[in-house]
């Protein structure tokens, strides 16, 4: 297995650079020009799928609404429904293409709950493999990413483009 360090995650975890200076990473606007550099994999009408650039494991995706909001109760019915549909799509694609043995799916609401970007809610989909946590106590928040981010992006982008939503 090819292994690659993700040392950039360290500064992220220390809270130094979790959002670009220009603002919220989830406020992406309508232009698709920067979708690749942002890691956007699929745009829906109300929400979209974006790859986590500081992944917990390889293939760590997030689903988030276009609207900048922090309260889950403020989601419209349409937003909530599409977030759920995108979640199911992510789970299928990750299952088909990365063959994980399990998933963690959830939201961290508020900084106290571990939300890196608390102001714009997002749903994490983290594929898991048995033994993928073994390194964590040793390296203390630096995780080993077995596949380069861009390689994973290309692989998943192809998968998203081939599947009907
Ligand atoms: Zn935002």
């Amino acid at each position: 297995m090819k292994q690659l360090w993700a040392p950039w995650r360290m500064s992220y975890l220390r809270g130094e650079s979790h959002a670009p200076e220009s603002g919220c990473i989830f406020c992406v606007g309508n232009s698709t020009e920067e979708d690749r550099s942002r890691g956007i994999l699929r745009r829906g009408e109300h929400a979209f799928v974006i790859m986590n650039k500081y992944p917990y494991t390889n293939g760590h995706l997030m689903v988030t609404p276009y609207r900048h909001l922090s309260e889950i109760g403020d989601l419209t019915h349409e937003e909530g429904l599409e977030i759920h549909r995108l979640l199911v799509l992510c789970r299928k694609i990750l299952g088909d293409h990365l063959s994980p043995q399990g998933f963690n799916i959830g939201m961290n609401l508020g900084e106290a709950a571990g939300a890196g970007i608390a102001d714009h809610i997002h749903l994490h989909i983290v594929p898991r493999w048995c033994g993928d946590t073994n390194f964590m106590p040793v390296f203390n928040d630096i995780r080993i990413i077995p596949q380069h981010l861009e390689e994973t992006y290309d692989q998943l982008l192809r998968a998203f483009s081939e599947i009907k939503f």
Side-chain angles (χ1 to χ4, degrees), residues 24 26-27 68 120:
C24 176
F26 297 124
C27 285
H68 185 90
H120 193 140

Side-chain angles (χ1 to χ4, degrees), residues 3 23 25 30 32 34 39 52-54 57-58 71-72 74 76 79 86 91 98-99 107 114 118 141-142 147 158 165:
Q3 294 186 334
I25 65 159
N30 294 326
T32 57
E34 292 176 45
N52 193 321
K53 292 191 175 174
Y54 311 96
T57 63
N58 186 41
E71 282 298 328
I72 195 169
D74 290 340
T76 65
E79 286 167 336
L86 287 168
R91 186 257 174 270
L98 298 183
S99 307
M107 285 183 177
D141 278 338
I142 303 170
Q147 192 174 11
R158 229 174 302 137
F165 176 60

